[in-house]
Amino acid sequence: MLKYVNTGVVFQEIPDEVTLSINISNCPCHCPGCHSKYLWGDVGSVLDFCAIDSFIAKYGSDITCVCFMGGDAEPLSVCHLAEHIRTKYPHMKVAWYSGRQRIPSHIDKNKFDYIKIGPYLAHLGPLKSRTTNQHLYKRVKDKFVDITSRFWRS
């Protein structure tokens, strides 16, 4: 069962979107240098359809995107929540920040508008670093386009 620790409305995670970021616990990746070690444990509140509906009701038109931060221990559950959002709130974008190198093949990536993959490797830096191993992809029609360079400053 997915659990979340906290949420926040953020402006930097997904370009051009006002994003409700949901920090999911029980992260199996345990990246060295992780800035969110508090998400390693199986802690927090249940993240289910009711919780999603509550968040969207609370923020309404103030947000344009919901981003799952983690959930790598239960990718199928993340996909089911994404499908719920796509069905019930078709105007809302859906994003997933995964610490894995790739999304499992049994996951329907088309349930998402954005997918970030890659573990945090301190020596390569985060998304805003040109040397990062992490990549953010945006779904354009039926394929994903790498938009990582949008985070880089000239």
Side-chain angles (χ1 to χ4, degrees):
M1 144 183 14
L2 284 179
K3 294 180 185 174
Y4 72 98
V5 175
N6 54 20
T7 64
V9 175
V10 297
F11 303 95
Q12 293 184 45
E13 304 295 349
I14 305 296
D16 306 321
E17 304 292 343
V18 179
T19 303
L20 175 65
S21 171
I22 303 172
N23 290 314
I24 300 172
S25 66
N26 202 24
C27 181
C29 298
H30 297 206
C31 302
C34 175
H35 60 69
S36 302
K37 288 184 180 178
Y38 68 98
L39 296 175
W40 290 8
D42 185 12
V43 297
S45 302
V46 173
L47 182 59
D48 57 12
F49 295 163
C50 268
I52 294 293
D53 292 342
S54 175
F55 296 146
I56 293 175
K58 178 179 177 180
Y59 293 104
S61 62
D62 291 343
I63 60 171
T64 60
C65 182
V66 174
C67 183
F68 299 103
M69 305 294 280
D72 292 301
E74 296 183 46
L76 202 52
S77 294
V78 174
C79 193
H80 288 307
L81 291 174
E83 182 175 26
H84 172 74
I85 295 168
R86 288 195 105 32
T87 302
K88 192 166 182 180
Y89 309 98
H91 64 285
M92 192 71 58
K93 301 279 179 41
V94 183
W96 184 13
Y97 264 45
S98 170
R100 298 289 189 188
Q101 293 284 8
R102 64 184 62 83
I103 299 299
S105 60
H106 65 282
I107 298 301
D108 182 358
K109 293 182 241 357
N110 287 313
K111 302 290 184 214
F112 302 92
D113 297 288
Y114 300 89
I115 296 176
K116 193 264 332 170
I117 57 171
Y120 175 71
L121 300 176
H123 68 284
L124 296 176
L127 276 174
K128 67 181 181 180
S129 171
R130 289 177 184 269
T131 60
T132 188
N133 64 298
Q134 299 177 318
H135 293 275
L136 180 64
Y137 296 92
K138 179 179 182 177
R139 186 170 50 83
V140 179
K141 298 188 181 181
D142 287 331
K143 65 182 201 178
F144 281 85
V145 176
D146 191 333
I147 63 167
T148 308
S149 62
R150 301 245 350 241
F151 290 91
W152 304 338
R153 296 197 176 161
S154 303

